[in-house]
Amino acid sequence: MTRSALTALICAGILGAGVLVSAPATAEPAATGSELSGKTVFLDPGHQGTAHSENLQRQVDDGRGGTKDCQTTGMTTLDGVPEHTINWKVSELVRSSLESLGATVKTSRADDTGWGGCVDDRARAASESGADVAVSIHADSTSATTDADKHGFHLIVPTLPIPSAAADAAQSEGGRSASTLMRDSYVRAGFEPANYAGVENGIQERSDVAGPALTTVPLVFVEMGNGSNPDDAALLESSDGQLEHAIAISTGIIDYLLGAETPSTTADTATTPAATTTATTAAPAATAPSDAGPATEGRSALSRLLESVSPYVNSFGVDGLEGLATPDNVSSVSTFAQGLLKQILADR
């Protein structure tokens, strides 16, 4: 999907949310695309294409005093779609979404054919990018054949403390907060947390994943679903499903970057995003993953608007939405969206 098509989808979703609100019909249009200006996001679409000659078994630093394999090939879904391609397509949708809102996006690999770097190379690139948050996008697998019993997404967080003081500070504070917000975004989007591998409420703590132990900016490590499960695999393989994952990831990132709304406004504006919303501009304070379910706090108004694309995807699919995005429709929707965004972000 092209960037312009994704932007049209976002605008269509904003209009869908707008029909539920009492925003003035004469809302003043404003130049959008700067809501995330000054923010940098590092995206790491996991694994790499097959056109490379690197030794995947070469040992590299694991961040905890040991070594591990440079890279792995990644899983393959039930219908034969390689994980690296799914990760790449979802990452590109997320990149387009964030860039259309003014963010600077840096990536670990430039395409889906060649090499993307060892795990330590990617962690180093994320750290050197100075990103406000880094997101490593992956999909899981539990069997080489069908595994109908194990399903769902999860976020990997590192066991603390991490030997590197800089990595420990980044992952124990911003990394945990960003991961919790990403978990909440996934749940709101209708995805179920994984029911395997010791995942608790969408969070899995591990000490054997090198990326979080080597990265000195807040890191979110997403496992979008289980490619061995027929339902999960169908979403991971399809354009519609990839867009749904991209929306969930984008809104989780936006919630972290824009900060939390005050509790008093969140409940009142859940279906009326044009209401007078008060928000802070700082990233949310670190919060440990809880068993309380998706938080009602910690959401930005902008992310709620972007989430409203999901029902359109479920109803029409990507092809249907692109068909609805005629030049006339996009023009009028964009004007409305600009005024609505200006109202919501006015107090930031």
Side-chain angles (χ1 to χ4, degrees):
M1 182 186 302
T2 65
R3 174 173 173 172
S4 60
L6 181 62
T7 302
L9 293 180
I10 290 172
C11 291
I14 291 173
L15 179 61
V19 299
L20 300 176
V21 307
S22 56
T26 57
E28 180 184 354
T32 60
S34 60
E35 292 79 15
L36 298 182
S37 180
K39 304 293 186 181
T40 298
V41 177
F42 185 90
L43 295 179
D44 172 28
H47 308 288
Q48 62 286 314
T50 57
H52 70 84
S53 58
E54 280 74 8
N55 176 14
L56 300 185
Q57 284 72 50
R58 179 168 65 85
Q59 295 300 288
V60 300
D61 182 10
D62 70 354
R64 295 185 184 270
T67 63
K68 68 179 305 173
D69 287 353
C70 158
Q71 251 312 337
T72 61
T73 57
M75 68 88 179
T76 301
T77 66
L78 294 173
D79 290 330
V81 181
E83 180 190 347
H84 66 81
T85 295
I86 296 168
N87 298 340
W88 172 256
K89 289 182 176 180
V90 172
S91 178
E92 282 293 277
L93 288 169
V94 174
R95 179 184 62 79
S96 295
S97 176
L98 299 177
E99 287 182 343
S100 73
L101 295 169
T104 297
V105 180
K106 301 181 180 180
T107 60
S108 62
R109 54 187 174 108
D111 54 48
D112 193 40
T113 56
W115 181 239
C118 294
V119 290
D120 60 331
D121 294 326
R122 297 179 190 224
R124 186 179 307 109
S127 301
E128 292 176 352
S129 74
D132 296 281
V133 66
V135 182
S136 190
I137 299 173
H138 290 258
D140 202 10
S141 178
T142 56
S143 173
T145 57
T146 300
D147 189 350
D149 294 330
K150 298 182 179 68
H151 64 85
F153 78 91
H154 64 279
L155 286 301
I156 296 175
V157 298
T159 300
L160 302 174
I162 297 170
S164 163
D168 186 72
Q171 306 320 327
S172 63
E173 297 174 8
R176 286 296 174 104
S177 178
S179 296
T180 301
L181 289 169
M182 186 68 72
R183 183 272 313 275
D184 293 347
S185 178
Y186 255 81
V187 172
R188 290 194 308 270
F191 292 96
E192 293 186 11
N195 64 348
Y196 63 92
V199 174
E200 295 185 8
N201 198 26
I203 303 291
Q204 181 191 51
E205 184 176 303
R206 291 175 57 175
S207 61
D208 63 332
V209 180
L214 292 167
T215 304
T216 58
V217 299
L219 174 67
V220 177
F221 196 113
V222 184
E223 293 281 7
M224 296 181 286
N226 181 8
S228 305
N229 177 279
D231 293 334
D232 282 10
L235 279 176
L236 292 168
E237 294 163 351
S238 71
S239 296
D240 293 355
Q242 290 164 8
L243 179 57
E244 290 183 46
H245 279 289
I247 292 168
I249 292 171
S250 296
T251 54
I253 293 170
I254 290 166
D255 278 337
Y256 178 73
L257 293 178
L258 293 187
E261 293 178 336
T262 59
S264 61
T265 62
T266 302
D268 295 337
T269 60
T271 57
T272 56
T276 54
T277 301
T278 302
T280 62
T281 56
T287 55
S290 70
D291 295 327
T296 56
E297 300 175 35
R299 299 190 59 194
S300 67
L302 178 58
S303 78
R304 288 205 311 273
L305 292 182
L306 297 186
E307 279 178 343
S308 66
V309 176
S310 293
Y312 286 75
V313 177
N314 291 331
S315 297
F316 301 109
V318 171
D319 292 340
L321 282 170
E322 287 186 315
L324 292 173
T326 65
D328 288 342
N329 288 342
V330 170
S331 176
S332 61
V333 169
S334 297
T335 300
F336 177 87
Q338 289 170 1
L340 188 57
L341 282 172
K342 181 179 180 181
Q343 285 183 288
I344 290 170
L345 300 172
D347 293 332
R348 290 195 180 281

